[in-house]
Amino acid sequence: MRKIMLMLLFASFVSSSAMAQALKQRGGSVEALVPEGWTHKEEVGDMNKDGLPDMVVVATPNFKENMLEREDGYVYNMNEPQLAIYFGESSGGYSLWKKYEGLLPADSEYISVDISLSITDRGVLRIGISTFASMGSNEVGGPTYVYRWQNGDFFLIGKDVTSQSRYSGELIEVSENYLTFKRQEKHSGVFVDSDVKESEKWTKIPRTPLKRLGTFEMDE
């Protein structure tokens, strides 16, 4: 009996610890929603157009099993960032609408990832992913995914991709609009003495159903 009681107590402790290290369901601020020690970014705006401020959060855990320490003491946090969307409540604060895991890329030993968030005045959510490789690639940049709330979910309505060569200074900007089915591609040089020829090209893209947020990994 004593062994069973100890096992139940241990299971309860593990469950409580797991809950303590998870994004909260409700809270009045990002500090109340994100566990202590996690890094986070957030943006506030009315995404579902109900007149209340909503919040999108990218939070990166600090689980020790995914931390790597270099010989010089620098620590890589290779935990996967979690994306969470909170809708504003009429009584104040925020309530979790949905949490996404395995959606955003994590840092690695040789690639650092920067994730940006923004919400426009019209409630359009933009999630940008910029990568920088310390070796193996001379390209910097990445995609920005554009989402809009409609029909009870967030749908991808566009994507912008930038890529810059650290050697030649060539900047390539591609913008796709999944509502107008148009694609714009621009080439330019960011260096003063660049010999990159500027160009701009418009093409049509196939008409396909809009993708929901969370149905594909944002790791391009």
Side-chain angles (χ1 to χ4, degrees), residues 73-218:
Y74 181 85
V75 178
Y76 296 98
N77 185 351
M78 301 189 204
N79 285 280
E80 287 189 355
Q82 299 179 12
L83 176 70
I85 293 179
Y86 290 86
F87 286 151
E89 297 183 314
S90 57
S91 57
Y94 305 93
S95 177
L96 180 65
W97 178 73
K98 190 175 290 188
K99 179 179 70 174
Y100 305 87
E101 297 186 41
L103 185 64
L104 299 171
D107 283 350
S108 68
E109 188 174 357
Y110 302 110
I111 298 178
S112 60
V113 181
D114 181 63
I115 299 173
S116 63
L117 301 169
S118 68
I119 302 173
T120 70
D121 293 339
R122 295 187 176 185
V124 174
L125 170 62
R126 296 175 63 88
I127 303 173
I129 301 174
S130 179
T131 59
F132 180 88
S134 59
M135 60 182 299
S137 175
N138 73 327
E139 303 293 328
V140 294
T144 296
Y145 299 88
V146 186
Y147 289 92
R148 184 176 69 183
W149 173 263
Q150 59 185 53
N151 301 323
D153 210 334
F154 288 90
F155 289 86
L156 184 70
I157 61 171
K159 184 173 72 171
D160 302 325
V161 181
T162 62
S163 177
Q164 180 187 332
S165 170
R166 286 182 281 176
Y167 298 152
S168 69
E170 182 180 19
L171 176 66
I172 302 175
E173 300 170 280
V174 177
S175 180
E176 295 181 342
N177 188 315
Y178 304 133
L179 300 178
T180 62
F181 314 106
K182 292 182 179 180
R183 181 180 191 271
Q184 179 192 35
E185 181 173 335
K186 296 171 61 178
H187 292 248
S188 60
V190 296
F191 299 155
V192 176
D193 57 350
S194 173
D195 58 359
V196 176
K197 293 183 179 180
E198 294 190 2
S199 64
E200 181 179 2
K201 181 181 179 181
W202 287 87
T203 56
K204 293 182 178 180
I205 55 178
R207 293 174 177 254
T208 57
L210 298 179
K211 297 179 180 179
R212 294 175 184 264
L213 177 60
T215 57
F216 63 93
E217 295 181 10
M218 291 190 279

Side-chain angles (χ1 to χ4, degrees), residues 31-48:
E31 289 78 14
L33 297 168
V34 178
E36 185 177 356
W38 290 24
T39 59
H40 59 84
K41 290 184 177 181
E42 66 282 340
E43 190 71 19
V44 175
D46 185 6
M47 294 181 287
N48 61 354

Side-chain angles (χ1 to χ4, degrees), residues 47-64:
M47 294 181 287
N48 61 354
K49 301 177 183 179
D50 62 354
L52 299 172
D54 308 310
M55 182 186 293
V56 56
V57 178
V58 170
T60 305
N62 60 347
F63 302 141
K64 292 183 179 179

